[in-house]
Amino acid sequence: MSHEPGQVRASDKEREQTVAFLRAALAEGMLTLEETDERQAAAYAAKYRHELDVLLTDLPRQLRWRTPEAVTEFRRWGRRKAAVLGTALAVVLTFALFTGHFFWPILPILFVAFLVLRRGAYHRMGGGRGCGSRRGFGPASA
């Protein structure tokens, strides 16, 4: 059994993400059906991450955000951020109302809330594709 140092095994999730990306490339017309079939077979047969990376080197990274899985993960990530921000804002506003004092940190909190909402609207309109993690499949993947 030969194993070179530095090689990391690929997980089933990483293989499925690679195949989803290849399907998106097929839908965009960047790959032919035959190329997609060959690459999908190689993705399912891959043991190490570098073997998956080789299958994606000639395709743009921005396309990775167009897979249904990546869009769903990004929306889930955004909802978690909005929930945390909304909870913090509710706590601060409740404190300010019950104490009767002006709570100055409310101003930066409202500014951050505005930026988060604006960024969410920007992404809903189709902007902001192409940034993300090392493999580019979503904010939570590594």
Side-chain angles (χ1 to χ4, degrees):
M1 181 170 167
S2 66
H3 174 71
E4 294 181 27
Q7 290 183 337
V8 179
R9 287 199 172 260
S11 68
D12 289 338
K13 182 179 179 182
E14 290 171 326
R15 288 185 195 96
E16 288 298 328
Q17 288 173 335
T18 301
V19 169
F21 176 57
L22 292 171
R23 287 187 195 124
L26 174 65
E28 293 283 328
M30 295 180 186
L31 295 174
T32 65
L33 188 57
E34 294 79 24
E35 288 175 318
T36 305
D37 289 340
E38 290 171 10
R39 290 184 189 205
Q40 284 179 350
Y44 285 124
K47 287 185 179 182
Y48 300 105
R49 284 184 179 172
H50 72 86
E51 294 173 303
L52 295 175
D53 292 338
V54 169
L55 300 172
L56 307 176
T57 54
D58 62 339
L59 299 170
R61 292 183 59 85
Q62 292 83 2
L63 187 61
R64 296 178 192 190
W65 276 96
R66 296 184 193 157
T67 62
E69 295 85 2
V71 170
T72 302
E73 179 62 28
F74 182 78
R75 286 182 181 154
R76 189 177 308 129
W77 178 70
R79 284 187 205 113
R80 284 191 304 260
K81 284 180 72 174
V84 168
L85 182 64
T87 303
L89 186 59
V91 167
V92 169
L93 286 175
T94 303
F95 175 78
L97 287 174
F98 284 119
T99 61
H101 298 294
F102 177 71
F103 187 68
W104 69 265
I106 194 72
L107 297 176
I109 290 171
L110 289 174
F111 180 70
V112 169
F114 169 74
L115 292 178
V116 168
L117 292 173
R118 192 173 125 214
R119 183 166 188 229
Y122 174 70
H123 282 283
R124 277 192 301 278
M125 297 298 288
R129 301 192 194 281
C131 59
S133 65
R134 181 187 73 81
R135 292 192 48 85
F137 290 109
S141 66

